[in-house]
Amino acid sequence: MLDLADVHTYYGNIRALRGLSLSVERGEIVTLIGANGAGKTTTLRTILGLVRPRRGSVSFNGTRLDAMSTDRIVRLGIAQSPEGRHIFPRMSVLENLELGAFVRSDRDGIAPDLERVFALFPRLRERVTQKGGTLSGGEQQMLAISRALMARPGLLLLDEPSMGLSPILVETIFRIIQDINRQGTTILLVEQNARMALRVAHRGYVIQTGRIVLHDAAAALLRSDLVRKTYLGEK
């Protein structure tokens, strides 16, 4: 479904991605793990066309994305729940969700999808008229994911969905990520909580200073000495 091949992305003269290659097959959860500054968020920004690679290619279902505008990429079926959530704080929960469906032309399908996200996140139904900025951190994360789902994406990009959440809420968010995947949405998950990410993912990539240094089935990465020592805090 998604293919990045030998991607080099820069911010000015600073090279953030150094020949990065990865793929996501339809129906998978694939996780990208790495330290702060390794290039995880830049990878997602490159997929969405927010930054352009100087070399390499990005393809989605066989269509090249790397010269496309972000709005066209979203219309092809890619949506993101960004790091830091970035919900609209002065708008209600319902208005945030409706904005997620802005690019859709099938207006009759929006109400059933609202019910879908309320089934995934019942707390949002309880707060449907509440302003987004008054929600707790966990509720804002639920809203950010739900807003992305309202675009009905084929591929969902999740950037640090567990950041700042309590351990109980982290468990809840990752369980729901699995539910979303089982309902048919392919997911590329960027996450610093490597242990949780690898527990729910099918495959994983490890990124260091803009390069993929390890790629394997998630269960195998959990046993990898590099992952255990560097990202799981084991000796």
Side-chain angles (χ1 to χ4, degrees):
M1 177 181 267
L2 178 73
D3 185 67
L4 281 72
D6 192 29
V7 169
H8 296 254
T9 299
Y10 288 73
Y11 294 110
N13 292 324
I14 299 170
R15 185 161 56 161
L17 299 183
R18 302 165 178 263
L20 182 141
S21 298
L22 64 79
S23 64
V24 181
E25 301 295 333
R26 189 178 305 277
E28 285 189 307
I29 300 175
V30 173
T31 189
L32 180 63
I33 62 174
N36 276 336
K40 304 187 301 297
T41 295
T42 299
T43 301
L44 299 188
R45 288 173 57 82
T46 302
I47 293 166
L48 282 171
L50 297 168
V51 290
R52 302 285 183 201
R54 290 194 192 173
R55 285 172 46 197
S57 64
V58 181
S59 301
F60 178 64
N61 289 327
T63 299
R64 286 284 293 268
L65 304 182
D66 38 282
M68 228 179 245
S69 64
T70 299
D71 68 299
R72 288 185 63 199
I73 292 169
V74 171
R75 290 174 191 276
L76 284 176
I78 301 177
Q80 181 182 20
S81 174
E83 180 182 1
R85 298 146 197 163
H86 295 288
I87 57 140
F88 296 96
R90 297 184 181 181
M91 300 178 73
S92 70
V93 167
L94 180 59
E95 288 167 337
N96 270 273
L97 294 173
E98 288 173 339
L99 271 179
F102 180 76
V103 300
R104 291 174 54 175
S105 57
D106 61 324
R107 311 315 291 175
D108 292 343
I110 292 175
D113 283 348
L114 277 171
E115 287 303 312
R116 175 194 177 198
V117 299
F118 288 148
L120 287 166
F121 300 104
R123 205 174 304 181
L124 294 183
R125 188 193 299 274
E126 298 168 8
R127 288 156 174 71
V128 69
T129 61
Q130 195 168 321
K131 293 286 190 291
T134 67
L135 301 177
S136 70
E139 290 163 350
Q140 289 188 17
Q141 186 61 69
M142 295 173 188
L143 180 56
I145 294 172
S146 297
R147 182 182 59 190
L149 287 175
M150 286 302 297
R152 196 180 280 180
L155 175 64
L156 176 63
L157 309 179
L158 295 176
D159 195 355
E160 304 287 3
S162 76
M163 181 180 288
L165 302 185
S166 69
I168 291 175
L169 269 177
V170 169
E171 292 277 354
T172 299
I173 289 293
F174 276 98
R175 175 179 52 78
I176 292 170
I177 288 170
Q178 288 180 296
D179 290 342
I180 292 168
N181 178 247
R182 281 191 285 264
Q183 291 176 8
T185 303
T186 303
I187 295 172
L188 176 57
L189 169 64
V190 162
E191 180 56 58
Q192 279 199 312
N193 188 334
R195 190 183 306 276
M196 288 297 298
L198 291 169
R199 283 178 180 172
V200 302
H202 300 97
R203 292 188 297 116
Y205 292 85
V206 179
I207 183 171
Q208 291 181 352
T209 58
R211 304 178 190 273
I212 298 298
V213 297
L214 196 58
H215 162 233
D216 211 329
L221 289 178
L222 278 169
R223 298 190 298 268
S224 157
D225 286 342
L226 172 67
V227 172
R228 288 171 54 215
K229 293 176 182 177
T230 308
Y231 303 106
L232 303 184
E234 298 179 7
K235 295 181 180 180

